[in-house]
Amino acid sequence: MNQFTSVAPVTNGHAIMAAVETARKPEPLRCSLPFGRAMICGAARYREDRAPDDKVLAGDAPGQHVWFIRSGILRLQRHAYDGHRQILSLFFPGEIVGFDGEFRGEVSVEAATQSSLCRIDRRKFETLVTENDALRADFFRQKQDQLDRLHWLTWSLGALGPEERLCAFLALSTRFMPFQPLPDGTGVLSVELPRKDIADLLGTTVESISRIVHRLDEAGIIEIRDPAHFRLLDLPGLVARGQIDGLFDRMTTGLAIRRHQIESLVAPDSADPICFCGR
Amino acid sequence: MNQFTSVAPVTNGHAIMAAVETARKPEPLRCSLPFGRAMICGAARYREDRAPDDKVLAGDAPGQHVWFIRSGILRLQRHAYDGHRQILSLFFPGEIVGFDGEFRGEVSVEAATQSSLCRIDRRKFETLVTENDALRADFFRQKQDQLDRLHWLTWSLGALGPEERLCAFLALSTRFMPFQPLPDGTGVLSVELPRKDIADLLGTTVESISRIVHRLDEAGIIEIRDPAHFRLLDLPGLVARGQIDGLFDRMTTGLAIRRHQIESLVAPDSADPICFCGR
DNA sequence: CGCTTAATTGACACCAGTCAATACCCGTGG
DNA sequence: CCACGGGTATTGACTGGTGTCAATTAAGCG
């Protein structure tokens, strides 16, 4: 097991959940329960689920609320006149979307996978962010991470070929998609993103993705279990081909931390819908 | 003369210069003179010039100061192992670079053209930005503009072909490079950026750039005066081909405003070096 | 068991990158 | 005044990768 197979340790960074709790009204919230420094609310009051391809944010409408991603993956995208779609960024659990005017123009945010979101009043969040230092720090950290990802994508689209981009993507995926490490240092990656989304993110086509995947399989770098499950036999090789040696940790520790936080907060087998509350 | 040939009017947004002035120490600065709401300092004390390809910011060193671009164009870039370079963003007069950790990793900032910068102490600027609301608003506006540009580039690299990208770039260039409108609605664009930089920004090669330019010339969309001067015969056509109809104004008004501000502050024929002072 | 959707595979064309040669501009210096 | 040199732009020939189109297979699901 090398550096890539282990999930980054949870450090601090609970600020967003903590801040949300801090701002809680004096009167006890129905079904709410403190959990660590964060507040979890059993009521579905502020929670909204999205099926794949459901709209989350339209381009022009600033919207009255921002969204906290409880689970799932959102995509920021833009369409060309011919219908061509380019995904500009993905958003992951623990992240806040819709706060700043990041979505001006003909871009939109949709759910890429089944997602569970928490609605937060925009003004409320605005106040929180200005008043609470820890929250602001966390939020800026998020913004920084997102900017890093955008920089990577831009660089990748301009400087790398489709195969290299996919290698990088697979390597990065181990940190934001289910990845089951095996004793021998390899691991099985569950790709939760539809092929089309991967293609549109990496600026290529599903056909190319398919060909590249099978090429990597034949090269012994990955092993195809089924179209959505790959056993990564040579993770360092993927990292090298994707040219993300230096970026790998930087781009994924934030994600891993937030994911870990949420996983530790959300009971995995709870039938009762659980929700972080933002009022 | 249509919407594209006129420079956007100067509105507000003097906050950065104004804030810098506000923070001026009580003792009069040598050669400093108030100009409008901004402070201009005739001494070259805080000014530094950069020749093309000179380094401004290295990747890892956070640096002690941030830079205010007085004139010229900077580029944010990243190299692949094979030497391939991708330009991730350009920075223009009136913008601040080097404040946030935007330049982590193997990226660097260099001067793309002859540039004149003003050094500002990082901590000083930090204080300014937190204390001065107008400055902060201005600064956020900049960040937003830069994010918009990055989004455009990413989308462009993924969804458009080289020709379309170049068309968009030419159209956008009218707002951040010398553009002399003519009575008939056309105008002459002076391309200050080296061909290689354009190619590396648009993710293509100088050969392709050359071919496309001559193709556009034959199509009657532009007229090549010399390799660095094009008469744009059909600006709306460029906008359409580049698919930036909706983005055009959004992406360039900020640039135009800042450019206009600076031009009105800097005496164009002054032999004495003029500099915005940031301490 | 048929339907829909996703994934794969094949054939093909063409764009665009690469390499190489030439033309051009603009200094300098003889 | 011209020759020379360095850098940039241009042009040509070539080719390989990748998108496109189309057909086939596989998989999920009622």
Side-chain angles (χ1 to χ4, degrees):
Chain A
M1 182 175 295
N2 58 30
Q3 55 168 323
F4 302 121
T5 55
S6 63
V7 174
V10 174
T11 62
N12 54 0
H14 285 268
I16 286 185
M17 294 80 158
V20 166
E21 174 192 27
T22 304
R24 179 172 39 138
K25 291 283 171 56
E27 69 268 27
L29 256 175
R30 181 165 59 97
C31 299
S32 74
L33 73 136
F35 195 116
R37 296 164 56 200
M39 185 186 72
I40 304 180
C41 165
R45 209 154 31 133
Y46 302 112
R47 179 178 162 191
E48 291 189 22
D49 288 356
R50 290 285 188 282
D53 302 334
D54 278 357
K55 193 193 80 172
V56 175
L57 290 170
D60 287 324
Q64 194 201 332
H65 3 71
V66 299
W67 300 92
F68 176 86
I69 305 176
R70 189 179 161 277
S71 69
I73 300 176
L74 306 187
R75 58 170 121 91
L76 173 68
Q77 58 192 3
R78 172 161 156 66
H79 289 271
Y81 292 144
D82 60 0
H84 237 86
R85 180 186 66 166
Q86 176 62 36
I87 294 179
L88 299 174
S89 187
L90 296 177
F91 298 106
F92 303 97
E95 297 190 322
I96 301 273
V97 293
F99 179 59
D100 18 46
E102 48 195 332
F103 311 126
R104 311 192 293 177
E106 298 91 16
V107 299
S108 61
V109 179
E110 291 181 357
T113 69
Q114 183 67 37
S115 303
S116 163
L117 313 174
C118 273
R119 187 163 30 86
I120 304 179
D121 182 73
R122 166 180 243 85
R123 302 212 161 277
K124 190 82 184 177
F125 184 73
E126 217 163 313
T127 318
L128 282 177
V129 124
T130 50
E131 289 175 355
N132 188 313
D133 292 341
L135 172 65
R136 190 170 52 250
D138 246 33
F139 186 61
F140 280 0
R141 167 95 206 253
Q142 280 191 19
K143 290 284 137 197
Q144 185 62 50
D145 284 357
Q146 291 168 8
L147 187 59
D148 281 348
R149 298 206 295 264
L150 193 55
H151 276 163
W152 168 77
L153 182 57
T154 310
W155 175 75
S156 172
L157 288 170
L160 303 181
E163 173 162 339
E164 297 168 294
R165 293 202 288 271
L166 184 63
C167 288
F169 176 78
L170 288 176
L172 293 171
S173 295
T174 62
R175 297 293 181 93
F176 60 78
M177 284 176 181
F179 182 65
Q180 190 58 246
L182 298 178
D184 60 352
T186 69
V188 177
L189 176 70
S190 303
V191 182
E192 297 181 316
L193 232 48
R195 277 284 217 284
K196 189 76 173 72
D197 282 348
I198 300 177
D200 288 349
L201 175 73
L202 301 181
T204 182
T205 61
V206 286
E207 292 94 334
S208 289
I209 298 280
S210 178
R211 274 183 254 270
I212 295 169
V213 164
H214 285 261
R215 209 183 300 155
L216 293 176
D217 178 283
E218 283 164 22
I221 300 179
I222 68 173
E223 174 193 316
I224 304 176
R225 295 247 163 122
D226 65 70
H229 295 271
F230 309 135
R231 174 152 166 248
L232 308 188
L233 302 174
D234 183 13
L235 196 36
L238 288 175
V239 170
R241 283 171 186 247
Q243 304 200 27
I244 50 171
D245 318 45
L247 286 71
F248 191 79
D249 285 323
R250 171 177 314 128
M251 286 187 60
T252 55
T253 50
L255 293 179
I257 289 175
R258 282 187 280 273
R259 183 163 76 121
H260 204 102
Q261 281 174 210
I262 290 193
E263 278 172 1
S264 69
L265 288 171
V266 177
D269 51 2
S270 167
D272 192 29
I274 296 178
C275 175
F276 299 92
C277 270
R279 306 307 299 278
Chain B
M1 180 177 294
N2 58 30
Q3 55 167 322
F4 302 121
T5 55
S6 62
V7 173
V10 174
T11 62
N12 53 1
H14 286 268
I16 287 184
M17 295 80 159
V20 166
E21 175 192 26
T22 304
R24 179 172 39 138
K25 290 283 170 58
E27 68 269 26
L29 258 175
R30 180 166 59 95
C31 300
S32 74
L33 74 136
F35 195 118
R37 297 164 56 198
M39 186 186 72
I40 304 180
C41 165
R45 203 144 45 123
Y46 301 113
R47 179 179 162 190
E48 289 189 25
D49 287 356
R50 290 285 188 282
D53 301 334
D54 277 358
K55 192 192 80 174
V56 175
L57 291 169
D60 288 324
Q64 194 201 332
H65 2 70
V66 299
W67 301 91
F68 175 87
I69 305 176
R70 188 178 161 278
S71 69
I73 300 176
L74 306 187
R75 59 170 120 90
L76 173 67
Q77 59 192 3
R78 174 162 157 64
H79 289 269
Y81 292 143
D82 60 1
H84 237 85
R85 180 186 66 166
Q86 176 62 36
I87 295 179
L88 299 175
S89 187
L90 296 177
F91 297 106
F92 302 97
E95 298 189 323
I96 301 273
V97 294
F99 180 60
D100 18 46
E102 47 194 333
F103 312 126
R104 311 192 293 177
E106 299 90 15
V107 299
S108 61
V109 178
E110 291 181 357
T113 71
Q114 183 68 38
S115 303
S116 164
L117 312 174
C118 273
R119 188 164 29 86
I120 304 178
D121 182 73
R122 165 180 244 83
R123 302 211 162 280
K124 191 81 184 178
F125 185 73
E126 216 162 315
T127 318
L128 282 178
V129 122
T130 50
E131 289 175 355
N132 188 314
D133 292 341
L135 172 64
R136 190 170 53 249
D138 246 34
F139 185 62
F140 280 0
R141 166 94 207 253
Q142 280 192 19
K143 290 283 136 196
Q144 186 61 50
D145 284 357
Q146 290 168 8
L147 186 59
D148 280 348
R149 297 205 295 264
L150 193 55
H151 276 162
W152 169 75
L153 182 57
T154 310
W155 175 74
S156 171
L157 287 169
L160 304 181
E163 173 162 339
E164 298 168 292
R165 294 203 287 271
L166 184 63
C167 287
F169 176 78
L170 288 177
L172 294 171
S173 295
T174 61
R175 298 292 182 93
F176 60 79
M177 283 176 180
F179 182 64
Q180 190 57 247
L182 298 178
D184 60 352
T186 68
V188 177
L189 176 71
S190 304
V191 182
E192 296 181 316
L193 233 48
R195 277 285 220 283
K196 189 76 171 72
D197 283 348
I198 300 177
D200 287 350
L201 175 72
L202 301 182
T204 181
T205 62
V206 287
E207 292 93 334
S208 289
I209 298 281
S210 178
R211 274 183 253 269
I212 294 168
V213 164
H214 284 262
R215 209 183 301 154
L216 294 176
D217 178 283
E218 284 165 22
I221 300 178
I222 68 173
E223 174 194 317
I224 305 175
R225 294 243 163 127
D226 66 69
H229 295 272
F230 308 136
R231 175 153 166 249
L232 308 188
L233 302 174
D234 184 13
L235 196 36
L238 289 175
V239 170
R241 282 171 187 246
Q243 304 201 27
I244 50 171
D245 317 73
L247 287 71
F248 191 79
D249 285 323
R250 170 178 311 128
M251 287 187 61
T252 55
T253 50
L255 294 179
I257 289 175
R258 283 188 279 273
R259 183 163 77 122
H260 204 101
Q261 280 173 212
I262 289 193
E263 279 172 0
S264 68
L265 288 171
V266 178
D269 51 1
S270 167
D272 191 31
I274 296 178
C275 175
F276 299 90
C277 269
R279 309 304 302 276

